[in-house]
Amino acid sequence: MRWLCSWAGCAGGELAVVSRPQPLDPDLDGEAKRQAQRDRLSGRKRRLTAPSSSRWAGCIIRASDEQYRLARQAQQRHLVGLRAAISTIEKRLAQPTADTLSAQDRRTRRGRVKGYPTQAERFEKQRRLQHLRAELGRVTAEHDAELVHVVDGGKRLAKARHNLTAAGLTLAECRQRWELPRWRIEANGCGDETFGNLTIRVTPDGEVSLRLPKPLEHLANTKFGRQVLSGKAKFSHRADEWLTRISAEQSVSYAITRRPGRAGVYLTASWGLAPEAEPDGEVRAGGPVLGVDLNDGHLAPRRLDLHGNPVGRPVRIDLQIAGSSARRDAQVRHAVTRLIHHARSRGVSTIAVEDLDFVDARTLGRETMGRDARGKRFRRTVAGIPTAVFRDRLAAMTSRHGIRLLAVNPAYTSAWGDQHWRKPYPNVTRHEAAATVIGRRAQGHKARRREGVTRTRPEDRVVRATNQAGPERLAATGGRHRPGDARSRISPTQPATYTTIRPGNRYPGTSRSQ
């Protein structure tokens, strides 16, 4: 296993160097600065090539740069959240507390920024403001120096080493968890090589071999410096697509890893697909659509017909988010799979979801989401909704199944759904009514009911006009209204919302409705 130790040592040392970058000369500008960056990259490549190989060095540098980029993005988001929290607290501290105002003063100050309820809470917020300002100064200094903190496996694992009793781990278990994230070998594919990869080669019958670096070629058990592993690889997911790619000598990237609590070694294959061209202008669902409302603990889908009317019985897809990160990801994947099967069984090829993002809510939750135990419980609920994981999983899985995904504006979906699309239907919850509004927005219809729908007649009792009066429906009835149909003048629907492409869309490869 000397080749594995060589990879882990090179990767760890390179990540440490990248996390502590040396700033360039501030006097450099233009081409001189770009040349200095190229020289630095060439030096990193030469330093890693000596103990390994050129291909291994390229994979290690690419992985380290990706980790550094993600850490810088997280650092920037942390700065934005700190500044927003400080600004909100300062505005509320500038206002008098509620216990010092009379009833008349409270009425005259309606609409303004509210102060804190009591002097005691205001004092605690002053202390919190001092802590946030100190944190902001520390993070700002690290951001200006381009310094990041990256730990393979997470900081929680590093802290557990100093608190083994509290973590419930032995020294051997902690050491194993620490080493497993570093037990990883990656190799990028190449279309010019046999079976799509030279460094890690997998044959159609599952034989795995590695091209060892120059200093370790004498340890290889076959010719040309290749180490053939004793085990056979078997892909249980998308094996046919993988076999098609390697048979056509298309590039395939591989990663060899181990997992905590599991025996054996895992081989992961991945490849890139050509991105689909996003259409310009307005994009709408041209037929039936499945609107989905993401909630704490479940998904609420609602199927709509061509005219934006809910059809069929409402369903509920449970989404239990608990346990480890791997289990939570599996639960989200299982819920998305059930959602896709539900759409395909009903003949629906378009799914509409809300373009949700709770970053601001999680940052300012203490100031805007209530107080005491009730507010804390609500903040915990908001923080527990897996918006990012659900977004990424849904975008990837719908693309693979050929289902169109539209992301719409989430404003007032629950309020308007409860007001317009809940009462006429039996056993429809507020969330399922919100899913109706989501689907209608994806189709380009108004969230509210169309104008001219008559109220329930006394003799009809529970009968109410809910179907859209379109040309197809009039042709089926011979141009006459049936009992229960809308008796208003038929006119083209003028949608109030449109589906547009926005650069800030958080669903990659999808369209976003306004």
Side-chain angles (χ1 to χ4, degrees):
M1 305 295 279
R2 289 179 58 184
W3 46 273
L4 177 60
C5 298
S6 175
W7 172 280
C10 294
E14 178 63 16
L15 182 59
V17 172
V18 172
S19 302
R20 304 292 188 272
Q22 296 296 328
L24 296 175
D25 189 355
D27 296 335
L28 297 178
D29 192 13
E31 183 60 28
K33 185 176 182 180
R34 288 189 290 271
Q35 183 61 38
Q37 293 175 347
R38 287 193 292 267
D39 294 341
R40 174 178 292 183
L41 179 60
S42 300
R44 294 169 55 192
K45 187 73 174 289
R46 287 192 299 269
R47 186 175 63 252
L48 290 173
T49 302
S52 59
S53 65
S54 178
R55 289 180 178 270
W56 280 33
C59 295
I60 292 173
I61 290 176
R62 195 174 293 108
S64 300
D65 290 343
E66 180 67 13
Q67 284 184 298
Y68 180 77
R69 184 185 63 83
L70 294 176
R72 288 286 287 179
Q73 290 180 354
Q75 190 180 60
Q76 182 63 33
R77 290 194 297 267
H78 188 36
L79 278 175
V80 173
L82 286 174
R83 294 192 181 105
I86 290 174
S87 176
T88 303
I89 294 177
E90 286 177 345
K91 290 178 181 179
R92 296 194 67 179
L93 288 176
Q95 304 299 325
T97 58
D99 57 358
T100 61
L101 296 175
S102 62
Q104 181 64 26
D105 293 338
R106 296 194 190 98
R107 285 192 295 269
T108 57
R109 295 180 61 86
R110 284 182 178 176
R112 303 182 187 179
V113 178
K114 293 183 179 180
Y116 290 102
T118 61
Q119 290 284 346
E121 184 173 348
R122 187 177 186 275
F123 173 74
E124 294 297 334
K125 292 298 181 179
Q126 287 177 331
R127 296 179 61 183
R128 173 168 172 78
L129 180 61
Q130 294 175 359
H131 171 74
L132 292 177
R133 284 173 176 170
E135 179 73 8
L136 177 63
R138 182 185 64 81
V139 178
T140 302
E142 293 179 351
H143 181 269
D144 295 340
E146 300 182 357
L147 176 66
V148 297
H149 301 278
V150 181
V151 179
D152 285 336
K155 292 188 295 184
R156 184 177 300 178
L157 182 61
K159 294 180 179 179
R161 172 63 181 85
H162 306 285
N163 300 275
L164 295 177
T165 304
L169 299 173
T170 63
L171 182 58
E173 293 174 344
C174 184
R175 172 57 61 181
Q176 182 185 20
R177 294 191 180 186
W178 180 263
E179 292 176 352
L180 286 181
R182 291 151 183 82
W183 209 105
R184 182 181 184 90
I185 296 179
E186 298 178 350
N188 297 322
C190 181
D192 300 332
E193 302 295 343
T194 306
F195 301 127
N197 200 308
L198 176 65
T199 307
I200 301 178
R201 180 177 296 171
V202 185
T203 61
D205 59 353
E207 182 183 87
V208 183
S209 62
L210 286 81
R211 178 68 179 272
L212 298 183
K214 290 287 185 181
L216 303 178
E217 283 187 349
H218 63 281
L219 300 176
N221 54 11
T222 60
K223 58 182 180 179
F224 304 119
R226 301 201 67 88
Q227 175 76 19
V228 178
L229 303 186
S230 58
K232 296 287 185 178
K234 181 180 179 181
F235 294 99
S236 58
H237 180 59
R238 304 176 69 175
D240 296 337
E241 299 180 34
W242 166 78
L243 185 60
T244 302
R245 289 191 66 87
I246 66 171
S247 300
E249 294 189 356
Q250 298 178 347
S251 62
V252 179
S253 299
Y254 294 105
I256 301 178
T257 58
R258 293 185 62 188
R259 299 180 183 179
R262 296 186 181 182
V265 179
Y266 290 84
L267 176 68
T268 304
S270 60
W271 54 86
L273 301 177
E276 298 180 0
E278 294 187 353
D280 298 330
E282 300 176 2
V283 180
R284 299 179 183 175
V289 65
L290 185 68
V292 181
D293 185 37
L294 175 62
N295 303 282
D296 179 36
H298 73 283
L299 302 177
R302 197 76 166 105
R303 183 163 56 100
L304 307 181
D305 62 8
L306 176 64
H307 308 290
N309 300 303
V311 293
R313 293 182 179 181
V315 298
R316 174 190 173 102
I317 299 178
D318 293 329
L319 181 61
Q320 301 296 332
I321 305 299
S324 62
S325 59
R327 185 182 184 279
R328 292 195 300 267
D329 184 73
Q331 291 290 333
V332 173
R333 185 170 60 251
H334 178 61
V336 174
T337 302
R338 292 182 57 189
L339 180 65
I340 292 176
H341 289 172
H342 176 72
R344 298 183 66 178
S345 64
R346 268 67 177 179
V348 179
S349 60
T350 304
I351 294 179
V353 295
E354 294 177 300
D355 193 5
L356 290 174
D357 186 12
F358 291 144
V359 173
D360 296 338
R362 290 163 180 159
T363 303
L364 305 176
R366 296 187 180 186
E367 305 296 326
T368 59
M369 292 186 178
R371 303 164 54 246
D372 301 332
R374 182 178 181 182
K376 186 176 182 180
R377 184 166 54 251
F378 180 68
R379 294 196 301 270
R380 187 184 299 114
T381 299
V382 171
I385 298 178
T387 53
V389 177
F390 177 76
R391 175 178 66 238
D392 297 339
R393 280 289 179 186
L394 184 62
M397 296 178 69
T398 52
S399 175
R400 179 173 177 268
H401 287 83
I403 296 179
R404 194 181 184 189
L405 181 62
L406 298 179
V408 306
N409 191 345
Y412 304 107
T413 55
S414 297
W416 286 349
D418 185 64
Q419 181 179 358
H420 298 283
W421 297 100
R422 184 179 181 184
K423 182 177 292 185
Y425 304 95
N427 302 324
V428 174
T429 64
R430 180 184 177 93
H431 306 299
E432 293 157 355
T436 304
V437 176
I438 294 171
R440 288 178 63 86
R441 283 182 173 173
Q443 292 176 324
H445 299 307
K446 293 181 179 180
R448 300 180 178 88
R449 287 180 176 276
R450 66 185 180 90
E451 298 179 358
V453 177
T454 57
R455 294 186 176 275
T456 306
R457 300 177 300 173
E459 57 270 24
D460 291 338
R461 297 191 181 276
V462 297
V463 177
R464 183 183 174 114
T466 57
N467 294 327
Q468 295 284 354
E472 297 84 355
R473 185 172 180 80
L474 288 181
T477 58
R480 300 186 302 275
H481 289 285
R482 291 181 177 178
D485 287 344
R487 289 169 171 76
S488 61
R489 181 176 62 87
I490 300 175
S491 59
T493 304
Q494 299 179 357
T497 58
Y498 302 92
T499 309
T500 57
I501 303 298
R502 288 189 175 183
N505 187 9
R506 286 180 290 274
Y507 280 77
T510 64
S511 306
R512 187 187 191 279
S513 296
Q514 184 177 354

